mmCIF file of all heavy atoms in Angstrom:
data_model
loop_
_atom_site.group_PDB
_atom_site.id
_atom_site.type_symbol
_atom_site.label_atom_id
_atom_site.label_comp_id
_atom_site.label_asym_id
_atom_site.label_seq_id
_atom_site.Cartn_x
_atom_site.Cartn_y
_atom_site.Cartn_z
ATOM 1 N N VAL A 46 -8.382 -0.148 10.002
ATOM 2 C CA VAL A 46 -7.819 -0.864 8.923
ATOM 3 C C VAL A 46 -7.802 -0.058 7.596
ATOM 4 O O VAL A 46 -6.694 -0.119 6.902
ATOM 5 C CB VAL A 46 -8.502 -2.240 8.731
ATOM 6 C CG1 VAL A 46 -7.871 -3.095 7.605
ATOM 7 C CG2 VAL A 46 -8.561 -3.032 10.022
ATOM 8 N N PRO A 47 -8.808 0.757 7.327
ATOM 9 C CA PRO A 47 -8.713 1.552 6.096
ATOM 10 C C PRO A 47 -7.474 2.477 6.020
ATOM 11 O O PRO A 47 -7.069 2.813 5.015
ATOM 12 C CB PRO A 47 -9.971 2.324 6.046
ATOM 13 C CG PRO A 47 -10.948 1.479 6.820
ATOM 14 C CD PRO A 47 -10.170 0.787 7.866
ATOM 15 N N MET A 48 -6.987 2.880 7.271
ATOM 16 C CA MET A 48 -5.762 3.783 7.336
ATOM 17 C C MET A 48 -4.712 2.988 6.618
ATOM 18 O O MET A 48 -3.940 3.706 5.854
ATOM 19 C CB MET A 48 -5.493 4.138 8.709
ATOM 20 C CG MET A 48 -6.473 4.975 9.457
ATOM 21 S SD MET A 48 -6.716 6.596 8.801
ATOM 22 C CE MET A 48 -8.428 6.567 8.383
ATOM 23 N N TRP A 49 -4.528 1.774 6.965
ATOM 24 C CA TRP A 49 -3.387 1.059 6.392
ATOM 25 C C TRP A 49 -3.622 0.753 4.924
ATOM 26 O O TRP A 49 -2.631 0.772 4.123
ATOM 27 C CB TRP A 49 -3.228 -0.249 7.154
ATOM 28 C CG TRP A 49 -2.914 -0.102 8.549
ATOM 29 C CD1 TRP A 49 -3.754 -0.403 9.540
ATOM 30 C CD2 TRP A 49 -1.725 0.487 9.174
ATOM 31 N NE1 TRP A 49 -3.134 -0.004 10.742
ATOM 32 C CE2 TRP A 49 -1.868 0.563 10.538
ATOM 33 C CE3 TRP A 49 -0.586 0.996 8.613
ATOM 34 C CZ2 TRP A 49 -0.937 1.051 11.370
ATOM 35 C CZ3 TRP A 49 0.378 1.517 9.538
ATOM 36 C CH2 TRP A 49 0.206 1.588 10.854
ATOM 37 N N ILE A 50 -4.861 0.522 4.543
ATOM 38 C CA ILE A 50 -5.119 0.267 3.064
ATOM 39 C C ILE A 50 -4.784 1.564 2.394
ATOM 40 O O ILE A 50 -4.053 1.439 1.315
ATOM 41 C CB ILE A 50 -6.629 -0.156 2.891
ATOM 42 C CG1 ILE A 50 -6.966 -1.313 3.729
ATOM 43 C CG2 ILE A 50 -6.891 -0.329 1.462
ATOM 44 C CD1 ILE A 50 -6.551 -2.566 3.219
ATOM 45 N N ALA A 51 -5.276 2.685 2.812
ATOM 46 C CA ALA A 51 -5.024 3.900 2.119
ATOM 47 C C ALA A 51 -3.491 4.189 2.160
ATOM 48 O O ALA A 51 -2.951 4.746 1.109
ATOM 49 C CB ALA A 51 -5.797 5.108 2.820
ATOM 50 N N MET A 52 -2.824 3.878 3.271
ATOM 51 C CA MET A 52 -1.340 4.099 3.300
ATOM 52 C C MET A 52 -0.630 3.333 2.255
ATOM 53 O O MET A 52 0.176 3.962 1.518
ATOM 54 C CB MET A 52 -0.859 3.714 4.722
ATOM 55 C CG MET A 52 0.708 3.985 4.765
ATOM 56 S SD MET A 52 1.298 3.084 6.254
ATOM 57 C CE MET A 52 1.506 1.441 5.609
ATOM 58 N N MET A 53 -1.041 2.053 2.085
ATOM 59 C CA MET A 53 -0.370 1.233 1.096
ATOM 60 C C MET A 53 -0.593 1.734 -0.341
ATOM 61 O O MET A 53 0.333 1.771 -1.165
ATOM 62 C CB MET A 53 -0.833 -0.109 1.222
ATOM 63 C CG MET A 53 -0.202 -0.788 2.436
ATOM 64 S SD MET A 53 -0.435 -2.499 2.479
ATOM 65 C CE MET A 53 -2.220 -2.539 2.987
ATOM 66 N N VAL A 54 -1.798 2.268 -0.586
ATOM 67 C CA VAL A 54 -2.164 2.851 -1.902
ATOM 68 C C VAL A 54 -1.278 4.070 -2.210
ATOM 69 O O VAL A 54 -0.713 4.214 -3.228
ATOM 70 C CB VAL A 54 -3.595 3.100 -1.973
ATOM 71 C CG1 VAL A 54 -3.884 3.914 -3.302
ATOM 72 C CG2 VAL A 54 -4.523 1.904 -1.955
ATOM 73 N N CYS A 55 -1.210 4.886 -1.253
ATOM 74 C CA CYS A 55 -0.459 6.119 -1.404
ATOM 75 C C CYS A 55 1.091 5.721 -1.625
ATOM 76 O O CYS A 55 1.637 6.370 -2.385
ATOM 77 C CB CYS A 55 -0.571 6.959 -0.026
ATOM 78 S SG CYS A 55 -2.072 7.923 -0.033
ATOM 79 N N PHE A 56 1.594 4.938 -0.840
ATOM 80 C CA PHE A 56 3.056 4.534 -0.988
ATOM 81 C C PHE A 56 3.292 3.918 -2.366
ATOM 82 O O PHE A 56 4.259 4.107 -2.933
ATOM 83 C CB PHE A 56 3.554 3.601 0.047
ATOM 84 C CG PHE A 56 3.837 4.294 1.383
ATOM 85 C CD1 PHE A 56 3.758 3.679 2.629
ATOM 86 C CD2 PHE A 56 4.100 5.690 1.389
ATOM 87 C CE1 PHE A 56 4.023 4.293 3.786
ATOM 88 C CE2 PHE A 56 4.353 6.345 2.661
ATOM 89 C CZ PHE A 56 4.309 5.669 3.874
ATOM 90 N N THR A 57 2.318 3.120 -2.851
ATOM 91 C CA THR A 57 2.403 2.495 -4.122
ATOM 92 C C THR A 57 2.366 3.585 -5.306
ATOM 93 O O THR A 57 3.224 3.451 -6.094
ATOM 94 C CB THR A 57 1.277 1.354 -4.291
ATOM 95 O OG1 THR A 57 1.150 0.585 -3.134
ATOM 96 C CG2 THR A 57 1.481 0.647 -5.545
ATOM 97 N N PHE A 81 2.516 12.088 -2.302
ATOM 98 C CA PHE A 81 1.931 10.825 -1.942
ATOM 99 C C PHE A 81 2.603 10.052 -0.821
ATOM 100 O O PHE A 81 1.965 9.510 0.066
ATOM 101 C CB PHE A 81 1.776 9.863 -3.238
ATOM 102 C CG PHE A 81 0.518 9.930 -3.940
ATOM 103 C CD1 PHE A 81 0.439 10.742 -5.097
ATOM 104 C CD2 PHE A 81 -0.690 9.630 -3.367
ATOM 105 C CE1 PHE A 81 -0.754 10.951 -5.836
ATOM 106 C CE2 PHE A 81 -1.830 9.787 -4.097
ATOM 107 C CZ PHE A 81 -1.883 10.496 -5.290
ATOM 108 N N THR A 84 1.371 11.986 2.432
ATOM 109 C CA THR A 84 0.102 11.469 2.856
ATOM 110 C C THR A 84 0.128 10.010 3.466
ATOM 111 O O THR A 84 -0.484 9.778 4.525
ATOM 112 C CB THR A 84 -0.945 11.523 1.729
ATOM 113 O OG1 THR A 84 -0.796 12.784 1.078
ATOM 114 C CG2 THR A 84 -2.327 11.425 2.295
ATOM 115 N N GLY A 85 0.860 9.167 2.730
ATOM 116 C CA GLY A 85 1.037 7.770 3.208
ATOM 117 C C GLY A 85 1.630 7.717 4.635
ATOM 118 O O GLY A 85 1.163 7.000 5.428
ATOM 119 N N LEU A 88 -1.013 8.815 7.141
ATOM 120 C CA LEU A 88 -1.945 7.762 7.336
ATOM 121 C C LEU A 88 -1.425 6.625 8.140
ATOM 122 O O LEU A 88 -2.092 6.103 9.012
ATOM 123 C CB LEU A 88 -2.441 7.255 5.987
ATOM 124 C CG LEU A 88 -3.387 8.139 5.172
ATOM 125 C CD1 LEU A 88 -3.439 7.647 3.760
ATOM 126 C CD2 LEU A 88 -4.726 8.213 5.762
ATOM 127 N N GLY A 89 -0.129 6.368 7.965
ATOM 128 C CA GLY A 89 0.570 5.311 8.821
ATOM 129 C C GLY A 89 0.567 5.756 10.273
ATOM 130 O O GLY A 89 0.351 4.944 11.113
ATOM 131 N N ALA A 198 -15.797 1.244 3.023
ATOM 132 C CA ALA A 198 -14.863 1.992 3.915
ATOM 133 C C ALA A 198 -13.447 2.162 3.401
ATOM 134 O O ALA A 198 -12.850 3.201 3.291
ATOM 135 C CB ALA A 198 -14.796 1.446 5.302
ATOM 136 N N PHE A 199 -12.932 0.968 2.982
ATOM 137 C CA PHE A 199 -11.609 0.936 2.271
ATOM 138 C C PHE A 199 -11.568 2.044 1.167
ATOM 139 O O PHE A 199 -10.600 2.825 1.096
ATOM 140 C CB PHE A 199 -11.218 -0.435 1.743
ATOM 141 C CG PHE A 199 -10.962 -1.468 2.848
ATOM 142 C CD1 PHE A 199 -10.660 -2.726 2.519
ATOM 143 C CD2 PHE A 199 -10.880 -1.096 4.114
ATOM 144 C CE1 PHE A 199 -10.546 -3.711 3.390
ATOM 145 C CE2 PHE A 199 -10.662 -1.980 5.089
ATOM 146 C CZ PHE A 199 -10.442 -3.304 4.778
ATOM 147 N N LEU A 200 -12.520 1.928 0.277
ATOM 148 C CA LEU A 200 -12.524 2.705 -0.922
ATOM 149 C C LEU A 200 -12.681 4.143 -0.488
ATOM 150 O O LEU A 200 -11.976 5.015 -0.971
ATOM 151 C CB LEU A 200 -13.538 2.288 -1.954
ATOM 152 C CG LEU A 200 -13.584 2.863 -3.239
ATOM 153 C CD1 LEU A 200 -12.377 2.538 -3.967
ATOM 154 C CD2 LEU A 200 -14.707 2.403 -4.063
ATOM 155 N N GLY A 201 -13.630 4.480 0.314
ATOM 156 C CA GLY A 201 -13.906 5.774 0.699
ATOM 157 C C GLY A 201 -12.758 6.507 1.455
ATOM 158 O O GLY A 201 -12.337 7.616 0.999
ATOM 159 N N TRP A 202 -12.080 5.880 2.331
ATOM 160 C CA TRP A 202 -10.986 6.536 3.009
ATOM 161 C C TRP A 202 -9.815 6.753 2.024
ATOM 162 O O TRP A 202 -9.064 7.651 2.068
ATOM 163 C CB TRP A 202 -10.473 5.607 4.248
ATOM 164 C CG TRP A 202 -11.399 5.726 5.391
ATOM 165 C CD1 TRP A 202 -12.218 4.724 5.842
ATOM 166 C CD2 TRP A 202 -11.682 6.834 6.282
ATOM 167 N NE1 TRP A 202 -12.965 5.097 6.945
ATOM 168 C CE2 TRP A 202 -12.641 6.429 7.181
ATOM 169 C CE3 TRP A 202 -11.182 8.126 6.313
ATOM 170 C CZ2 TRP A 202 -13.142 7.283 8.236
ATOM 171 C CZ3 TRP A 202 -11.684 8.933 7.359
ATOM 172 C CH2 TRP A 202 -12.562 8.557 8.244
ATOM 173 N N THR A 203 -9.637 5.646 1.178
ATOM 174 C CA THR A 203 -8.528 5.812 0.187
ATOM 175 C C THR A 203 -8.769 7.014 -0.705
ATOM 176 O O THR A 203 -7.857 7.822 -1.001
ATOM 177 C CB THR A 203 -8.429 4.574 -0.642
ATOM 178 O OG1 THR A 203 -8.221 3.454 0.162
ATOM 179 C CG2 THR A 203 -7.204 4.658 -1.644
ATOM 180 N N LEU A 204 -10.024 7.164 -1.235
ATOM 181 C CA LEU A 204 -10.376 8.260 -2.129
ATOM 182 C C LEU A 204 -10.122 9.605 -1.383
ATOM 183 O O LEU A 204 -9.598 10.562 -1.945
ATOM 184 C CB LEU A 204 -11.788 8.167 -2.625
ATOM 185 C CG LEU A 204 -12.034 7.026 -3.729
ATOM 186 C CD1 LEU A 204 -13.429 6.985 -4.008
ATOM 187 C CD2 LEU A 204 -11.116 7.321 -4.893
ATOM 188 N N LEU A 205 -10.514 9.673 -0.152
ATOM 189 C CA LEU A 205 -10.362 10.944 0.649
ATOM 190 C C LEU A 205 -8.905 11.265 0.704
ATOM 191 O O LEU A 205 -8.524 12.466 0.492
ATOM 192 C CB LEU A 205 -10.975 10.829 2.016
ATOM 193 C CG LEU A 205 -10.731 12.024 2.870
ATOM 194 C CD1 LEU A 205 -11.469 13.304 2.318
ATOM 195 C CD2 LEU A 205 -11.239 11.833 4.295
ATOM 196 N N SER A 206 -8.049 10.215 0.961
ATOM 197 C CA SER A 206 -6.639 10.564 1.121
ATOM 198 C C SER A 206 -6.066 10.986 -0.248
ATOM 199 O O SER A 206 -5.092 11.952 -0.261
ATOM 200 C CB SER A 206 -5.870 9.445 1.714
ATOM 201 O OG SER A 206 -6.146 8.245 0.993
ATOM 202 N N VAL A 207 -6.547 10.390 -1.303
ATOM 203 C CA VAL A 207 -6.082 10.807 -2.624
ATOM 204 C C VAL A 207 -6.498 12.353 -2.912
ATOM 205 O O VAL A 207 -5.696 13.033 -3.410
ATOM 206 C CB VAL A 207 -6.578 9.928 -3.748
ATOM 207 C CG1 VAL A 207 -6.365 10.383 -5.126
ATOM 208 C CG2 VAL A 207 -6.036 8.528 -3.641
#
Side-chain angles (χ1 to χ4, degrees):
Chain A
V46 183
M48 295 294 121
W49 299 112
I50 304 285
M52 180 195 82
M53 285 187 289
V54 171
C55 282
F56 282 157
T57 308
F81 269 103
T84 313
L88 289 165
F199 287 177
L200 191 62
W202 288 109
T203 305
L204 286 177
L205 176 63
S206 54
V207 170

